[in-house]
Amino acid sequence: MSHHAPAQPLTVSARGALRGRITVPGDKSISHRSLMLSALAVGESRIEGLLEGEDVLATAAAMRAMGATIERDADGVWRVHGVGVGGLLQPAQALDMGNSGTSTRLLMGLVASHPITATFVGDASLSGRPMGRVIEPLARMGADVTASPGGKLPLMLRGISPAVPITYTLPVASAQVKSAILLAGLNTPGITRVIEPVPTRDHSERMLAGFGAALSVEDTAEGKVIAIRGEAELRPQAIVVPGDPSSAAFWLVAASVVPGSDIVVGNVGLNPTRTGLITALRMMGADITEEDARIVGGEPVADLRVRHAPLRAIEVPADLAPSMIDEYPVLFVAAAFAEGRTVARGAHELRVKESDRIATMAAALGACGVAVEEHEDGMTVTGSGGEAIPGGATIASKLDHRIAMSMTVAALHARRPVTIDDAAPVATSYPTFFASLDALTGGAPA
Protein backbone atom coordinates (compact mmCIF):
# COMPACT_ATOMS: atom_id res chain seq x y z
CA MET A 1 0.00 0.00 0.00
CA SER A 2 2.86 2.38 0.73
CA HIS A 3 4.47 2.58 -2.70
CA HIS A 4 2.80 4.67 -5.33
CA ALA A 5 1.62 3.12 -8.56
CA PRO A 6 2.49 5.03 -11.74
CA ALA A 7 0.53 8.27 -12.06
CA GLN A 8 -2.88 8.06 -13.74
CA PRO A 9 -3.39 11.37 -15.53
CA LEU A 10 -7.01 12.20 -16.37
CA THR A 11 -8.39 14.86 -18.70
CA VAL A 12 -11.84 16.19 -17.76
CA SER A 13 -14.07 18.20 -20.11
CA ALA A 14 -17.36 20.01 -19.53
CA ARG A 15 -20.26 17.57 -20.02
CA GLY A 16 -23.38 19.69 -19.51
CA ALA A 17 -25.94 19.44 -16.71
CA LEU A 18 -25.80 16.88 -13.90
CA ARG A 19 -29.07 15.02 -13.42
CA GLY A 20 -30.24 11.98 -11.48
CA ARG A 21 -29.80 10.39 -8.08
CA ILE A 22 -26.68 8.90 -6.51
CA THR A 23 -25.49 7.84 -3.09
CA VAL A 24 -22.00 8.55 -1.83
CA PRO A 25 -19.68 6.15 -0.01
CA GLY A 26 -20.04 5.67 3.72
CA ASP A 27 -18.67 8.37 5.99
CA LYS A 28 -14.95 7.89 6.43
CA SER A 29 -14.78 9.14 10.04
CA ILE A 30 -17.64 6.86 11.11
CA SER A 31 -16.26 3.90 9.12
CA HIS A 32 -12.88 4.07 10.91
CA ARG A 33 -14.49 4.36 14.33
CA SER A 34 -17.06 1.59 13.72
CA LEU A 35 -14.25 -0.88 12.92
CA MET A 36 -12.15 0.15 15.93
CA LEU A 37 -14.95 0.05 18.49
CA SER A 38 -16.44 -3.18 17.06
CA ALA A 39 -12.97 -4.72 17.46
CA LEU A 40 -13.02 -3.73 21.18
CA ALA A 41 -16.54 -5.01 21.87
CA VAL A 42 -17.10 -8.59 23.04
CA GLY A 43 -19.21 -10.46 20.47
CA GLU A 44 -20.16 -9.82 16.86
CA SER A 45 -20.96 -6.40 15.40
CA ARG A 46 -22.43 -5.86 11.91
CA ILE A 47 -21.51 -2.83 9.81
CA GLU A 48 -23.48 -1.84 6.70
CA GLY A 49 -22.37 0.88 4.28
CA LEU A 50 -18.72 0.82 5.37
CA LEU A 51 -16.50 2.97 3.16
CA GLU A 52 -14.27 0.47 1.37
CA GLY A 53 -11.50 2.93 0.50
CA GLU A 54 -7.81 2.31 1.16
CA ASP A 55 -7.74 4.40 4.35
CA VAL A 56 -10.52 2.42 6.05
CA LEU A 57 -9.08 -0.89 4.83
CA ALA A 58 -5.82 0.12 6.56
CA THR A 59 -7.78 0.39 9.83
CA ALA A 60 -9.39 -3.03 9.24
CA ALA A 61 -5.98 -4.61 8.59
CA ALA A 62 -4.54 -3.07 11.77
CA MET A 63 -7.41 -4.30 13.95
CA ARG A 64 -6.99 -7.80 12.46
CA ALA A 65 -3.27 -7.64 13.22
CA MET A 66 -4.17 -6.91 16.87
CA GLY A 67 -6.52 -9.88 17.23
CA ALA A 68 -9.99 -8.93 15.95
CA THR A 69 -11.75 -11.17 13.39
CA ILE A 70 -13.05 -9.00 10.55
CA GLU A 71 -14.88 -10.45 7.55
CA ARG A 72 -16.83 -9.00 4.65
CA ASP A 73 -19.91 -10.89 3.47
CA ALA A 74 -20.78 -11.18 -0.22
CA ASP A 75 -23.61 -8.64 0.30
CA GLY A 76 -21.14 -6.00 1.51
CA VAL A 77 -21.98 -6.32 5.22
CA TRP A 78 -18.91 -6.44 7.45
CA ARG A 79 -18.85 -8.68 10.55
CA VAL A 80 -16.44 -7.98 13.38
CA HIS A 81 -15.71 -10.27 16.35
CA GLY A 82 -14.04 -8.11 18.97
CA VAL A 83 -11.39 -8.92 21.56
CA GLY A 84 -12.78 -6.73 24.36
CA VAL A 85 -11.29 -3.54 25.80
CA GLY A 86 -7.82 -4.43 27.09
CA GLY A 87 -7.65 -7.47 24.82
CA LEU A 88 -5.60 -6.10 21.91
CA LEU A 89 -2.72 -8.37 20.97
CA GLN A 90 0.85 -7.50 20.04
CA PRO A 91 0.93 -7.13 16.22
CA ALA A 92 3.46 -9.40 14.52
CA GLN A 93 4.70 -6.72 12.12
CA ALA A 94 4.53 -2.96 11.51
CA LEU A 95 1.05 -1.51 10.98
CA ASP A 96 0.93 -0.02 7.47
CA MET A 97 -1.31 3.04 7.57
CA GLY A 98 -0.94 3.88 3.87
CA ASN A 99 -2.15 7.49 3.49
CA SER A 100 -4.50 7.51 6.48
CA GLY A 101 -3.82 10.15 9.14
CA THR A 102 -7.07 9.23 10.91
CA SER A 103 -6.11 5.56 11.24
CA THR A 104 -2.67 6.49 12.57
CA ARG A 105 -3.75 9.00 15.19
CA LEU A 106 -6.74 7.02 16.49
CA LEU A 107 -4.88 3.70 16.60
CA MET A 108 -2.00 5.35 18.49
CA GLY A 109 -4.60 6.20 21.13
CA LEU A 110 -5.92 2.63 21.26
CA VAL A 111 -2.45 1.10 21.57
CA ALA A 112 -1.32 3.64 24.20
CA SER A 113 -3.29 2.03 27.05
CA HIS A 114 -2.61 -1.61 26.09
CA PRO A 115 0.59 -3.43 27.17
CA ILE A 116 1.74 -3.88 23.56
CA THR A 117 4.22 -2.26 21.19
CA ALA A 118 3.25 -1.23 17.68
CA THR A 119 5.27 0.32 14.87
CA PHE A 120 3.35 2.64 12.53
CA VAL A 121 4.51 3.15 8.94
CA GLY A 122 2.87 4.98 6.04
CA ASP A 123 3.32 6.22 2.50
CA ALA A 124 5.44 9.24 1.55
CA SER A 125 2.58 11.70 2.04
CA LEU A 126 1.58 10.39 5.49
CA SER A 127 5.23 10.13 6.58
CA GLY A 128 5.50 13.90 6.10
CA ARG A 129 2.59 14.68 8.43
CA PRO A 130 3.21 15.73 12.05
CA MET A 131 2.11 13.38 14.85
CA GLY A 132 3.47 15.44 17.76
CA ARG A 133 0.05 16.76 18.73
CA VAL A 134 -1.06 13.17 19.49
CA ILE A 135 2.26 11.99 20.92
CA GLU A 136 2.26 14.68 23.62
CA PRO A 137 -1.00 13.76 25.45
CA LEU A 138 -0.42 10.00 25.01
CA ALA A 139 3.04 10.37 26.56
CA ARG A 140 1.39 12.11 29.55
CA MET A 141 -0.79 9.01 29.95
CA GLY A 142 2.38 6.89 30.13
CA ALA A 143 2.89 5.66 26.56
CA ASP A 144 6.45 5.68 25.25
CA VAL A 145 6.79 6.93 21.68
CA THR A 146 9.91 6.86 19.53
CA ALA A 147 9.18 8.87 16.39
CA SER A 148 11.20 9.89 13.35
CA PRO A 149 12.65 13.44 13.42
CA GLY A 150 9.91 16.08 13.58
CA GLY A 151 7.50 13.70 15.33
CA LYS A 152 6.77 11.86 12.11
CA LEU A 153 6.31 8.28 10.84
CA PRO A 154 7.75 5.71 11.03
CA LEU A 155 7.21 5.66 14.78
CA MET A 156 7.14 3.04 17.52
CA LEU A 157 4.63 3.28 20.36
CA ARG A 158 4.97 1.21 23.54
CA GLY A 159 1.64 1.17 25.32
CA ILE A 160 1.26 0.86 29.08
CA SER A 161 -1.38 -0.77 31.27
CA PRO A 162 -2.58 0.68 33.49
CA ALA A 163 -2.19 4.06 31.80
CA VAL A 164 -2.72 7.30 33.76
CA PRO A 165 -5.97 9.23 33.26
CA ILE A 166 -5.37 12.87 32.30
CA THR A 167 -7.35 16.07 31.83
CA TYR A 168 -6.17 17.61 28.58
CA THR A 169 -7.11 20.91 26.96
CA LEU A 170 -6.78 20.69 23.17
CA PRO A 171 -4.29 23.34 21.97
CA VAL A 172 -5.68 23.07 18.41
CA ALA A 173 -9.17 22.09 17.26
CA SER A 174 -8.63 18.46 16.25
CA ALA A 175 -11.18 15.66 16.37
CA GLN A 176 -8.34 13.19 15.78
CA VAL A 177 -6.37 14.26 18.87
CA LYS A 178 -9.56 14.31 20.97
CA SER A 179 -10.50 10.84 19.71
CA ALA A 180 -7.02 9.42 20.33
CA ILE A 181 -7.17 10.52 23.99
CA LEU A 182 -10.73 9.19 24.48
CA LEU A 183 -9.77 5.84 22.89
CA ALA A 184 -6.72 5.63 25.17
CA GLY A 185 -9.07 6.43 28.07
CA LEU A 186 -11.23 3.38 27.27
CA ASN A 187 -8.68 1.05 28.89
CA THR A 188 -7.40 3.52 31.53
CA PRO A 189 -8.69 3.21 35.12
CA GLY A 190 -10.52 6.31 36.32
CA ILE A 191 -11.81 9.23 34.27
CA THR A 192 -10.00 10.72 31.27
CA ARG A 193 -11.13 14.21 30.26
CA VAL A 194 -10.65 16.26 27.11
CA ILE A 195 -11.46 19.99 27.18
CA GLU A 196 -12.34 21.36 23.77
CA PRO A 197 -12.27 25.19 23.54
CA VAL A 198 -13.51 25.02 19.91
CA PRO A 199 -16.02 22.27 19.00
CA THR A 200 -14.88 19.63 16.48
CA ARG A 201 -16.68 16.68 14.94
CA ASP A 202 -18.20 14.48 17.60
CA HIS A 203 -18.47 11.08 15.88
CA SER A 204 -16.27 9.43 18.52
CA GLU A 205 -18.44 10.63 21.40
CA ARG A 206 -21.68 9.55 19.69
CA MET A 207 -20.31 6.13 18.79
CA LEU A 208 -18.58 5.48 22.15
CA ALA A 209 -21.88 6.20 23.90
CA GLY A 210 -23.70 3.95 21.39
CA PHE A 211 -21.34 1.06 22.22
CA GLY A 212 -22.04 1.53 25.92
CA ALA A 213 -19.03 3.49 27.18
CA ALA A 214 -19.69 5.72 30.22
CA LEU A 215 -19.19 9.11 28.58
CA SER A 216 -20.42 12.58 29.48
CA VAL A 217 -20.27 15.89 27.63
CA GLU A 218 -20.64 19.14 29.52
CA ASP A 219 -20.48 22.77 28.38
CA THR A 220 -18.31 24.89 30.68
CA ALA A 221 -16.67 28.31 30.60
CA GLU A 222 -13.42 26.69 29.36
CA GLY A 223 -15.21 24.83 26.57
CA LYS A 224 -16.79 21.43 26.09
CA VAL A 225 -15.59 18.86 28.63
CA ILE A 226 -15.78 15.27 27.37
CA ALA A 227 -15.19 12.69 30.12
CA ILE A 228 -14.87 8.93 29.67
CA ARG A 229 -14.75 6.34 32.44
CA GLY A 230 -12.12 3.72 31.71
CA GLU A 231 -12.07 -0.07 31.80
CA ALA A 232 -15.25 0.06 29.75
CA GLU A 233 -17.24 -2.92 28.52
CA LEU A 234 -18.36 -2.28 24.96
CA ARG A 235 -21.43 -4.07 23.60
CA PRO A 236 -21.53 -5.22 19.96
CA GLN A 237 -23.68 -3.11 17.65
CA ALA A 238 -25.42 -3.16 14.29
CA ILE A 239 -24.18 -0.03 12.51
CA VAL A 240 -25.46 1.61 9.31
CA VAL A 241 -22.83 4.09 8.15
CA PRO A 242 -24.36 7.27 6.64
CA GLY A 243 -23.02 8.73 3.38
CA ASP A 244 -19.93 10.90 3.82
CA PRO A 245 -20.73 14.65 3.73
CA SER A 246 -17.15 15.30 2.57
CA SER A 247 -17.79 13.10 -0.48
CA ALA A 248 -21.24 14.63 -1.09
CA ALA A 249 -19.57 18.06 -1.10
CA PHE A 250 -18.21 17.61 -4.63
CA TRP A 251 -21.71 16.99 -6.05
CA LEU A 252 -23.26 19.86 -4.07
CA VAL A 253 -20.80 22.26 -5.69
CA ALA A 254 -20.92 20.63 -9.15
CA ALA A 255 -24.73 20.81 -9.37
CA SER A 256 -24.71 24.37 -7.98
CA VAL A 257 -22.31 25.71 -10.65
CA VAL A 258 -23.16 23.71 -13.80
CA PRO A 259 -26.23 25.28 -15.48
CA GLY A 260 -29.33 23.08 -15.76
CA SER A 261 -28.28 20.65 -13.01
CA ASP A 262 -30.82 19.00 -10.68
CA ILE A 263 -29.63 16.03 -8.58
CA VAL A 264 -30.41 14.13 -5.39
CA VAL A 265 -27.59 12.80 -3.21
CA GLY A 266 -29.14 10.13 -0.98
CA ASN A 267 -28.40 9.17 2.64
CA VAL A 268 -25.97 11.99 3.52
CA GLY A 269 -24.81 12.29 7.14
CA LEU A 270 -25.72 15.75 8.44
CA ASN A 271 -23.92 15.74 11.78
CA PRO A 272 -23.87 19.45 12.73
CA THR A 273 -20.10 19.30 13.22
CA ARG A 274 -19.74 18.42 9.51
CA THR A 275 -22.19 20.69 7.68
CA GLY A 276 -20.14 23.88 7.41
CA LEU A 277 -19.92 23.61 3.62
CA ILE A 278 -23.72 23.36 3.27
CA THR A 279 -24.07 26.44 5.49
CA ALA A 280 -21.49 28.35 3.40
CA LEU A 281 -23.04 27.32 0.07
CA ARG A 282 -26.52 28.37 1.26
CA MET A 283 -25.06 31.75 2.29
CA MET A 284 -23.81 32.01 -1.31
CA GLY A 285 -27.31 31.33 -2.63
CA ALA A 286 -27.08 27.60 -3.37
CA ASP A 287 -30.39 25.73 -3.73
CA ILE A 288 -29.95 22.74 -1.39
CA THR A 289 -32.99 21.13 0.24
CA GLU A 290 -33.15 18.28 2.75
CA GLU A 291 -35.64 15.50 2.03
CA ASP A 292 -36.65 12.59 4.31
CA ALA A 293 -34.60 13.81 7.30
CA ARG A 294 -34.06 10.96 9.78
CA ILE A 295 -31.77 9.69 12.57
CA VAL A 296 -29.66 6.59 11.86
CA GLY A 297 -27.43 5.16 14.59
CA GLY A 298 -27.42 8.42 16.54
CA GLU A 299 -26.44 10.47 13.48
CA PRO A 300 -28.79 12.83 11.54
CA VAL A 301 -29.20 11.83 7.87
CA ALA A 302 -31.16 13.21 4.88
CA ASP A 303 -31.34 13.09 1.09
CA LEU A 304 -30.05 16.35 -0.41
CA ARG A 305 -31.64 17.82 -3.54
CA VAL A 306 -29.39 20.34 -5.29
CA ARG A 307 -30.38 22.54 -8.23
CA HIS A 308 -28.21 24.93 -10.19
CA ALA A 309 -28.32 28.46 -8.73
CA PRO A 310 -26.28 31.64 -9.24
CA LEU A 311 -23.76 31.98 -6.41
CA ARG A 312 -22.73 35.23 -4.72
CA ALA A 313 -19.37 35.84 -3.07
CA ILE A 314 -19.28 35.83 0.74
CA GLU A 315 -16.84 36.33 3.56
CA VAL A 316 -16.71 32.78 4.93
CA PRO A 317 -17.24 32.92 8.72
CA ALA A 318 -14.05 31.67 10.40
CA ASP A 319 -16.12 29.76 12.97
CA LEU A 320 -17.27 27.44 10.17
CA ALA A 321 -13.69 26.22 9.65
CA PRO A 322 -13.76 23.18 11.99
CA SER A 323 -17.01 21.89 10.45
CA MET A 324 -15.76 22.14 6.86
CA ILE A 325 -11.99 21.79 7.04
CA ASP A 326 -11.92 19.01 4.41
CA GLU A 327 -14.35 20.89 2.15
CA TYR A 328 -12.32 24.07 1.66
CA PRO A 329 -10.76 22.91 -1.64
CA VAL A 330 -14.21 22.45 -3.22
CA LEU A 331 -15.50 25.64 -1.55
CA PHE A 332 -12.70 27.49 -3.38
CA VAL A 333 -14.09 25.94 -6.60
CA ALA A 334 -17.60 27.23 -5.79
CA ALA A 335 -16.07 30.66 -5.16
CA ALA A 336 -14.43 30.55 -8.61
CA PHE A 337 -17.94 30.62 -10.17
CA ALA A 338 -19.58 33.11 -7.77
CA GLU A 339 -20.30 36.79 -8.40
CA GLY A 340 -17.63 38.87 -6.61
CA ARG A 341 -14.71 38.17 -4.28
CA THR A 342 -15.04 35.36 -1.73
CA VAL A 343 -12.72 35.61 1.28
CA ALA A 344 -12.02 32.45 3.31
CA ARG A 345 -9.74 32.81 6.34
CA GLY A 346 -9.10 30.94 9.60
CA ALA A 347 -8.12 27.66 7.95
CA HIS A 348 -4.44 27.28 8.97
CA GLU A 349 -5.04 23.53 9.30
CA LEU A 350 -5.17 23.24 5.48
CA ARG A 351 -1.41 23.76 5.33
CA VAL A 352 -0.75 20.35 6.96
CA LYS A 353 -3.30 18.10 5.24
CA GLU A 354 -2.39 15.47 2.59
CA SER A 355 -0.89 18.43 0.73
CA ASP A 356 -0.68 22.15 1.56
CA ARG A 357 -4.25 22.60 0.34
CA ILE A 358 -4.10 26.40 0.25
CA ALA A 359 -1.00 26.57 -1.95
CA THR A 360 -2.07 23.61 -4.09
CA MET A 361 -5.57 24.97 -4.78
CA ALA A 362 -4.27 28.50 -5.38
CA ALA A 363 -1.86 27.13 -8.00
CA ALA A 364 -4.50 24.88 -9.59
CA LEU A 365 -7.23 27.53 -9.85
CA GLY A 366 -4.72 30.14 -10.97
CA ALA A 367 -3.54 27.84 -13.76
CA CYS A 368 -7.17 27.57 -14.92
CA GLY A 369 -7.52 31.34 -15.20
CA VAL A 370 -9.16 32.11 -11.85
CA ALA A 371 -7.94 35.20 -9.97
CA VAL A 372 -6.81 34.05 -6.51
CA GLU A 373 -4.89 35.65 -3.68
CA GLU A 374 -3.29 33.28 -1.19
CA HIS A 375 -3.27 34.08 2.55
CA GLU A 376 -1.43 32.30 5.34
CA ASP A 377 -4.75 30.93 6.60
CA GLY A 378 -6.90 30.83 3.48
CA MET A 379 -7.63 32.45 0.14
CA THR A 380 -9.48 35.23 -1.66
CA VAL A 381 -11.10 34.07 -4.92
CA THR A 382 -12.55 36.40 -7.54
CA GLY A 383 -15.39 34.53 -9.22
CA SER A 384 -16.58 34.37 -12.83
CA GLY A 385 -20.16 35.37 -12.03
CA GLY A 386 -21.43 32.02 -13.23
CA GLU A 387 -19.54 31.99 -16.54
CA ALA A 388 -17.32 29.06 -17.48
CA ILE A 389 -13.72 29.50 -16.32
CA PRO A 390 -10.94 29.33 -18.96
CA GLY A 391 -9.49 25.95 -17.88
CA GLY A 392 -6.98 24.37 -20.26
CA ALA A 393 -4.33 23.60 -17.64
CA THR A 394 -2.62 20.52 -16.25
CA ILE A 395 -3.06 20.47 -12.46
CA ALA A 396 -0.57 19.16 -9.89
CA SER A 397 -2.79 17.37 -7.37
CA LYS A 398 0.16 16.57 -5.04
CA LEU A 399 -1.19 13.02 -4.44
CA ASP A 400 -4.15 14.62 -2.65
CA HIS A 401 -7.54 13.00 -3.35
CA ARG A 402 -9.55 16.13 -2.44
CA ILE A 403 -7.53 18.34 -4.79
CA ALA A 404 -8.04 15.86 -7.65
CA MET A 405 -11.81 15.71 -7.10
CA SER A 406 -12.19 19.46 -6.53
CA MET A 407 -10.44 20.28 -9.79
CA THR A 408 -12.54 17.66 -11.60
CA VAL A 409 -15.58 19.66 -10.46
CA ALA A 410 -13.99 22.91 -11.69
CA ALA A 411 -13.40 21.30 -15.10
CA LEU A 412 -17.14 20.55 -15.48
CA HIS A 413 -17.76 24.26 -16.17
CA ALA A 414 -14.50 25.21 -17.92
CA ARG A 415 -14.10 26.32 -21.54
CA ARG A 416 -11.13 24.04 -22.19
CA PRO A 417 -10.41 20.57 -20.75
CA VAL A 418 -8.45 20.34 -17.51
CA THR A 419 -5.93 17.54 -16.93
CA ILE A 420 -5.41 16.18 -13.41
CA ASP A 421 -1.79 14.92 -13.23
CA ASP A 422 -2.76 11.85 -11.14
CA ALA A 423 -6.31 10.69 -10.41
CA ALA A 424 -5.21 7.50 -8.61
CA PRO A 425 -5.32 8.99 -5.06
CA VAL A 426 -9.11 9.46 -5.39
CA ALA A 427 -9.37 5.74 -4.48
CA THR A 428 -8.26 6.52 -0.91
CA SER A 429 -11.60 8.10 -0.03
CA TYR A 430 -14.02 7.73 -2.95
CA PRO A 431 -13.35 4.71 -5.18
CA THR A 432 -16.60 5.19 -7.19
CA PHE A 433 -16.25 8.95 -7.79
CA PHE A 434 -15.71 8.81 -11.55
CA ALA A 435 -18.48 6.21 -12.00
CA SER A 436 -20.89 8.55 -10.18
CA LEU A 437 -19.78 11.43 -12.41
CA ASP A 438 -20.62 9.32 -15.50
CA ALA A 439 -23.99 8.40 -13.98
CA LEU A 440 -24.94 12.07 -13.40
CA THR A 441 -23.71 13.32 -16.78
CA GLY A 442 -24.95 10.48 -18.99
CA GLY A 443 -21.53 8.90 -19.49
CA ALA A 444 -18.34 10.30 -20.95
CA PRO A 445 -18.15 13.84 -22.43
CA ALA A 446 -19.73 14.39 -25.82
Side-chain angles (χ1 to χ4, degrees):
M1 222 155 76
S2 292
H3 25 266
H4 276 290
Q8 295 175 16
L10 180 77
T11 298
V12 184
S13 308
R15 306 165 167 219
L18 288 79
R19 294 186 173 266
R21 181 188 179 96
I22 56 162
T23 53
V24 294
D27 182 277
K28 194 158 72 153
S29 301
I30 296 174
S31 292
H32 282 300
R33 289 161 175 80
S34 62
L35 283 169
M36 291 180 196
L37 295 185
S38 297
L40 291 174
V42 177
E44 181 183 272
S45 295
R46 294 177 73 248
I47 308 171
E48 284 178 55
L50 189 83
L51 170 64
E52 296 182 5
E54 291 167 10
D55 285 11
V56 174
L57 297 180
T59 292
M63 297 318 298
R64 277 193 194 104
M66 291 188 282
T69 305
I70 303 180
E71 286 157 350
R72 181 189 188 278
D73 293 348
D75 60 3
V77 174
W78 289 68
R79 295 179 188 280
V80 182
H81 279 273
V83 293
V85 171
L88 292 180
L89 305 177
Q90 172 77 40
Q93 63 268 327
L95 301 175
D96 186 345
M97 300 287 96
N99 183 42
S100 181
T102 306
S103 304
T104 310
R105 295 185 178 118
L106 270 55
L107 288 167
M108 284 169 65
L110 276 187
V111 170
S113 58
H114 283 75
I116 60 177
T117 298
T119 299
F120 292 86
V121 299
D123 69 8
S125 160
L126 182 62
S127 300
R129 295 173 71 179
M131 297 295 156
R133 56 173 69 168
V134 188
I135 294 170
E136 199 248 331
L138 295 180
R140 284 200 205 176
M141 296 178 79
D144 178 32
V145 183
T146 309
S148 298
K152 294 176 178 169
L153 265 52
L155 66 78
M156 185 167 77
L157 191 153
R158 283 188 202 80
I160 187 170
S161 183
V164 182
I166 59 170
T167 295
Y168 189 77
T169 301
L170 291 177
V172 292
S174 169
Q176 291 181 358
V177 177
K178 168 177 67 174
S179 299
I181 298 166
L182 294 175
L183 290 172
L186 266 179
N187 196 42
T188 300
I191 294 179
T192 299
R193 292 183 183 84
V194 179
I195 301 171
E196 194 176 54
V198 179
T200 65
R201 34 178 93 174
D202 63 354
H203 302 302
S204 293
E205 296 93 303
R206 286 174 186 249
M207 194 170 282
L208 281 162
F211 271 85
L215 181 127
S216 65
V217 181
E218 192 187 347
D219 285 310
T220 71
E222 298 146 274
K224 218 179 252 307
V225 180
I226 302 115
I228 188 164
R229 183 179 292 284
E231 300 176 300
E233 291 236 345
L234 301 186
R235 297 183 296 272
Q237 301 294 312
I239 297 168
V240 179
V241 179
D244 194 326
S246 298
S247 296
F250 302 104
W251 308 121
L252 304 185
V253 172
S256 295
V257 303
V258 178
S261 297
D262 183 353
I263 67 170
V264 175
V265 186
N267 189 43
V268 181
L270 294 179
N271 182 304
T273 63
R274 298 287 300 283
T275 52
L277 178 78
I278 295 175
T279 304
L281 288 175
R282 284 179 172 152
M283 288 172 68
M284 297 171 81
D287 180 355
I288 301 171
T289 50
E290 291 166 31
E291 301 177 346
D292 187 20
R294 52 207 186 268
I295 299 285
V296 180
E299 296 272 353
V301 173
D303 303 334
L304 297 180
R305 184 174 182 189
V306 194
R307 285 169 278 207
H308 170 254
L311 301 182
R312 306 178 290 279
I314 59 167
E315 190 143 326
V316 182
D319 61 5
L320 282 182
S323 64
M324 60 182 282
I325 201 72
D326 284 334
E327 288 73 63
Y328 272 98
V330 81
L331 175 75
F332 296 146
V333 171
F337 296 100
E339 177 78 52
R341 293 173 75 235
T342 295
V343 183
R345 308 288 298 251
H348 304 85
E349 193 63 9
L350 294 179
R351 296 274 184 196
V352 294
K353 287 292 191 173
E354 279 81 338
S355 67
D356 175 339
R357 286 180 171 160
I358 297 173
T360 307
M361 282 303 295
L365 288 169
C368 289
V370 179
V372 296
E373 185 189 336
E374 191 180 326
H375 310 299
E376 183 48 43
D377 61 346
M379 205 187 301
T380 297
V381 182
T382 303
S384 68
E387 299 297 317
I389 60 173
T394 294
I395 299 308
S397 64
K398 303 289 173 96
L399 300 177
D400 187 329
H401 53 122
R402 297 201 197 279
I403 304 290
M405 289 184 278
S406 296
M407 291 310 298
T408 297
V409 171
L412 296 177
H413 195 32
R415 290 200 287 274
R416 294 194 304 283
V418 174
T419 299
I420 314 291
D421 66 345
D422 187 2
V426 168
T428 65
S429 70
Y430 197 162
T432 56
F433 176 78
F434 293 106
S436 290
L437 175 59
D438 287 344
L440 290 174
T441 55

